[in-house]
Amino acid sequence: KLEAGLITAYMRLLLSRILPLLAYPATAMMTPPTKKIVLIGGGHAHVQVIKALNVNTRPSNVEVTLIDLQSAASYSGMVPGCVSKLYTLPQVQIQIGPLAEWAGIEFVQGKVVGMSLEDEEKKTVQVEVSDENGGVITKEVPFDAVSVDIGSTTRDFNRIPGASQYCISTRPISDLVVRIEKEEQLLKDRLKDGTFKAAHFVVVGGGPAGIELSLAIRARFNEMLDSNLSITLIDSSDGLLVNETPANRKALESVMAKYNIDTRFSLLVDEVTSSHVHVHSSKGQSSREKIPYSHIIWATGAEAHDLSWSLNKQCGLEVSETRGWIQVNSYLQSLSHPYIFAAGDCCEIVNDNKKSPPKAGVYAVRSGPILIENLTRFVGASKCAQELVPYNPQDDFLKLLMCGDGTALGFRFGIPLYGKWVWKLKDFIDVMFMDLFDVNKLPKLDEKKDEYDTAQYDASIERPPPLAADDAAKLLLRTDDDVDFYRAWDVLRDMMADDKYKNEVLDIARLSVDKQLSEII
């Protein structure tokens, strides 16, 4: 009887535990909690995240929201080509609104003004959006992980007196192209009514952007204005791209001379007026100068957006003291807030063993797959281990400067590359990247996939066996129109993959380059 009583009591206890569970919906017991990822900005890294985290690839409990002021994002590497009229504006823009729609991702078009982080369970991004009546309201967008990829703005544009009033800024990029188009129409009108005298473009900033825009202006207006067009590039340093090798710098000087771009160095801008840019020497000399202009372009490099500073003040987001870059670790994760990630120009990677990479689009592009891995792992939406993946930026990269006339100048491994084949290579690489996000070329999302696409955009391209080192060196240094750009690209990638092969090719190439350089000197 005692044994029977114990069994009865045990069964009652068991039923008391089981019956409430049976009454509870099975779906509620099995469904994991919803995880929300918010992407601020449609930069080069985020477009890859949008595509990878499409509705057929991400788990059903993961929701993704994209926030941006614009529905299209300009690809910076193609903008000088657009100014040169080698591309139209739509050709250099990624339609992030339609891309988000294709991926089944919510798109909030508005301006991020802050974050609410006090409640760990109810973190939100605050966004100013337009309401139905044309007014502005603040929308709270909840998140478990948020990523910032907003690029940068133009350095000192709002600090130097007169710059924002009289200069054409390189940011926002779409506004740059529109302003150039308007100025072109005004010049045409003046030519037509006989009031045109001459055009003198001044470009402030001697980095890659300033160099390419100088060449782009020459290509765009040279036929229309002929000898009545002059272009001056001014910079605060002692020369163009001072960190490049002598051979690369000499090649660049030759290109600037070929296209009649006047270069002025060691100059700092004090003020911009309606007709002159006021400068003084950066070498401490007291002499000052007024450089006349008809048009002036401000291309002084990168500066952090106000959002970084405001988040620093509002919620303690760690940024660099002098420049305002969002500080992240090697996982692209904020040093102060582990649920905040950042990529591209807006961040600075803090690593004891390595300096943060320069502000160049290639680093934003290469960080995209890492960001996909780490965002999904952080919210538990990855089948892989939850440990985050480090981003190891490459030390150097293929630099390609378009000349505006169907040729380009490139630098890789310390040697210059020049010709039509270099432009064809640049065009091929850029268009290949852009095509990845063209919704007209993307597949229909009609079946589930088990893995995120975290491959580098150019990783799947196969190559033939490497050329002999002597032949490879000769190919890279050719400037004629018959060079096969794809084969030359194969050589560059073979060199990157094999240090021994790279050194063999460079030993031969440098002998030829050094000989040419000594003959010029």
Side-chain angles (χ1 to χ4, degrees), residues 371-386:
L371 198 58
I372 296 165
E373 289 277 17
N374 289 343
L375 284 171
T376 54
R377 292 184 183 207
F378 184 83
V379 300
S382 173
K383 292 184 178 180
C384 300
Q386 299 309 302

Side-chain angles (χ1 to χ4, degrees), residues 46-255:
H46 274 180
V47 291
Q48 298 174 73
V49 178
I50 296 168
K51 184 181 178 184
L53 269 59
N54 66 74
V55 67
N56 275 21
T57 304
R58 67 179 187 264
S60 59
N61 69 310
V62 174
E63 298 177 359
V64 184
T65 300
L66 168 67
I67 304 171
D68 200 293
L69 263 173
Q70 309 295 331
S71 61
S74 299
Y75 182 50
S76 58
M78 297 176 74
V79 170
C82 182
V83 174
S84 302
K85 291 189 173 182
L86 295 171
Y87 303 114
T88 63
L89 184 56
Q91 286 178 305
V92 305
Q93 291 181 321
I94 298 174
Q95 301 300 319
I96 57 174
L99 180 64
E101 182 179 359
W102 169 86
I105 286 174
E106 179 188 18
F107 177 45
V108 177
Q109 191 164 354
K111 179 182 179 181
V112 174
V113 293
M115 293 185 189
S116 177
L117 307 177
E118 291 80 10
D119 188 342
E120 283 287 324
E121 301 301 318
K122 296 180 180 179
K123 301 184 293 291
T124 63
V125 175
Q126 298 161 342
V127 192
E128 289 184 348
V129 298
S130 300
D131 63 14
E132 296 177 354
N133 301 317
V136 176
I137 60 173
T138 300
K139 179 184 177 78
E140 301 279 346
V141 182
F143 70 88
D144 294 287
V146 61
S147 180
V148 185
D149 182 15
I150 56 175
S152 58
T153 187
T154 311
R155 188 189 310 158
D156 294 334
F157 185 63
N158 294 310
R159 187 183 67 83
I160 299 297
S164 61
Q165 182 178 358
Y166 298 110
C167 298
I168 301 172
S169 175
T170 54
R171 299 285 193 280
I173 292 174
S174 56
D175 290 357
L176 164 67
V177 176
V178 171
R179 285 286 303 277
I180 295 292
E181 290 174 344
K182 287 182 179 179
E183 295 301 329
E184 180 181 35
Q185 186 57 52
L186 289 173
L187 286 171
K188 288 180 178 178
D189 293 342
R190 289 169 57 196
L191 282 168
K192 188 175 181 180
D193 63 21
T195 60
F196 173 79
K197 294 182 180 179
H200 181 200
F201 280 80
V202 170
V203 179
V204 181
I211 292 168
E212 284 196 291
L213 286 172
S214 299
L215 295 166
I217 293 298
R218 173 64 68 191
R220 186 181 190 106
F221 293 106
N222 199 59
E223 183 176 348
M224 181 172 74
L225 302 179
D226 196 23
S227 60
N228 293 314
L229 170 65
S230 60
I231 303 169
T232 299
L233 177 69
I234 65 176
D235 193 61
S236 60
S237 65
D238 295 334
L240 295 177
L241 306 185
V242 293
N243 293 324
E244 290 294 337
T245 62
N248 287 346
R249 294 184 64 193
K250 180 57 67 174
L252 178 56
E253 289 171 9
S254 297
V255 166

Side-chain angles (χ1 to χ4, degrees), residues 180-326:
I180 295 292
E181 290 174 344
K182 287 182 179 179
E183 295 301 329
E184 180 181 35
Q185 186 57 52
L186 289 173
L187 286 171
K188 288 180 178 178
D189 293 342
R190 289 169 57 196
L191 282 168
K192 188 175 181 180
D193 63 21
T195 60
F196 173 79
K197 294 182 180 179
H200 181 200
F201 280 80
V202 170
V203 179
V204 181
I211 292 168
E212 284 196 291
L213 286 172
S214 299
L215 295 166
I217 293 298
R218 173 64 68 191
R220 186 181 190 106
F221 293 106
N222 199 59
E223 183 176 348
M224 181 172 74
L225 302 179
D226 196 23
S227 60
N228 293 314
L229 170 65
S230 60
I231 303 169
T232 299
L233 177 69
I234 65 176
D235 193 61
S236 60
S237 65
D238 295 334
L240 295 177
L241 306 185
V242 293
N243 293 324
E244 290 294 337
T245 62
N248 287 346
R249 294 184 64 193
K250 180 57 67 174
L252 178 56
E253 289 171 9
S254 297
V255 166
M256 300 299 276
K258 175 182 178 180
Y259 295 97
N260 197 21
I261 310 295
D262 182 31
T263 51
R264 300 285 307 279
F265 303 118
S266 304
L267 295 178
L268 293 172
V269 177
D270 296 315
E271 180 186 9
V272 181
T273 64
S274 60
S275 59
H276 292 77
V277 54
H278 297 242
V279 299
H280 72 273
S281 173
S282 62
K283 294 183 176 180
Q285 298 172 359
S286 59
S287 61
R288 296 180 181 275
E289 183 180 355
K290 294 192 298 182
I291 301 175
Y293 73 86
S294 63
H295 304 79
I296 182 167
I297 298 175
W298 199 264
T300 51
E303 184 174 272
H305 281 286
D306 290 341
L307 178 61
S308 299
W309 291 112
S310 63
L311 290 177
N312 169 257
K313 294 176 182 178
Q314 181 192 47
C315 53
L317 180 68
E318 193 157 340
V319 301
S320 58
E321 289 185 10
T322 57
R323 304 299 293 277
W325 308 121
I326 299 172

Side-chain angles (χ1 to χ4, degrees), residues 427-443:
D427 174 65
F428 178 82
I429 293 172
D430 289 340
V431 172
M432 177 175 61
F433 181 76
M434 294 291 285
D435 282 349
L436 295 175
F437 313 104
D438 185 343
V439 292
N440 297 312
K441 298 177 182 179
L442 292 175

